[in-house]
Amino acid sequence: VKHTLDTTTTMANDGTTKKQKWFPLESNPALINGYINKLGYDTSLYEFCDVFSTEDWALDMIPQPVAAVMMLYPLTEKQTSAVGDDVVATEEMKDKVWFIKQRIGNACGTIGLVHALLNAPEALKVFEPDSWLANFSQDTPIPLSPVAKAERLEQDSKIAKMHDDATSSETNATSRGNIDDKVLTHFISLVCVDGKLYELDGRKEGPIYHGPTSQMTLLKDACGVIKKFMARDPTEMRFTITALAPKQM
């Protein structure tokens, strides 16, 4: 299943700014792990793996503790009309969560990954010195506004190139298609910060609070949130779940 990433702004011929678009990123652990490794994340201890179901048998297959969960899901009307139910994090909560707005067309894959990695437990934020992740995390501290973070991302030609390389990699299961293809799916991340479960979606105004959690219960609690998404659209099958979990040797 594919998701697109958002793009940055560029100058059109008439001097106005035009929204850029990225190609969609696949929800494909082999592709994602290669991509985050190039961004500077050390995948020797933790990497993304597929979560095949929200049921216990599938969760029991995933090594613990999980550092983050990502979901790719269809942006149907039933999903987008449910945003009124969101509990937006308080200012006190926001002071502890790294959050960026998505303003690049189809950039949700990269933004979901960055949300997952920059909100992982401190011991797992192992970035190669002078890598893209190390530099971007330093340039966009939590107190910097989500829009200001988005502006830094939009001005960053290196991440645009690395995202594009990932979408054209031979690791992809499908062709990336045409840049103007309509993408109907979207990536979000679910993370545990300070004992609280947050949904991080760059289309929304801020982190969405889903109650208490812990690193040991994050996967189960995140799947509880995912089940609510699924229940809104019970005939829809395009849900894909991955977890940032201990690497299986």
Side-chain angles (χ1 to χ4, degrees), residues 104-125:
I104 296 173
N106 301 336
C108 61
T110 288
I111 284 176
L113 289 169
V114 175
H115 272 146
L117 298 174
L118 295 190
N119 287 292
E122 284 300 323
L124 299 179
K125 291 184 197 171

Side-chain angles (χ1 to χ4, degrees), residues 86-242:
D86 288 342
V87 179
V88 180
T90 64
E91 290 305 315
E92 185 180 3
M93 291 175 181
K94 289 178 184 177
D95 288 345
K96 297 178 179 176
V97 181
W98 193 96
F99 181 78
I100 184 172
K101 283 288 288 179
Q102 178 186 337
R103 307 197 310 178
I104 296 173
N106 301 336
C108 61
T110 288
I111 284 176
L113 289 169
V114 175
H115 272 146
L117 298 174
L118 295 190
N119 287 292
E122 284 300 323
L124 299 179
K125 291 184 197 171
V126 183
F127 308 145
E128 291 291 328
D130 203 36
S131 66
W132 183 83
L133 270 172
N135 293 330
F136 189 69
S137 62
Q138 189 171 17
D139 291 344
T140 55
I142 288 175
L144 190 68
S145 78
V147 168
K149 291 187 183 83
E151 289 169 348
R152 302 280 174 93
L153 189 77
E154 290 161 7
Q155 295 159 6
D156 192 327
S157 60
K158 188 173 181 182
I159 188 61
K161 171 73 165 61
M162 287 194 287
H163 175 91
D164 192 69
D165 288 348
T167 65
S168 59
S169 163
E170 291 182 357
T171 313
N172 283 280
T174 58
S175 162
R176 69 180 185 175
N178 186 288
I179 191 68
D180 293 319
D181 288 348
K182 189 168 179 61
V183 177
L184 302 174
T185 50
H186 184 63
F187 277 108
I188 64 168
S189 292
L190 294 151
V191 300
C192 171
V193 178
D194 197 34
K196 297 177 178 65
L197 175 61
Y198 295 102
E199 167 197 338
L200 303 179
D201 178 348
R203 297 181 313 115
K204 297 185 177 179
E205 288 309 303
I208 305 302
Y209 176 57
H210 284 285
T213 191
S214 68
Q215 291 305 148
M216 289 306 297
T217 62
L218 172 60
L219 180 60
K220 189 172 183 66
D221 294 338
C223 283
V225 174
I226 291 170
K227 285 177 183 177
K228 293 178 183 177
F229 278 80
M230 292 175 165
R232 291 175 195 150
D233 216 346
T235 60
E236 178 59 67
M237 303 301 290
R238 292 174 295 169
F239 289 88
T240 309
I241 308 166
T242 54

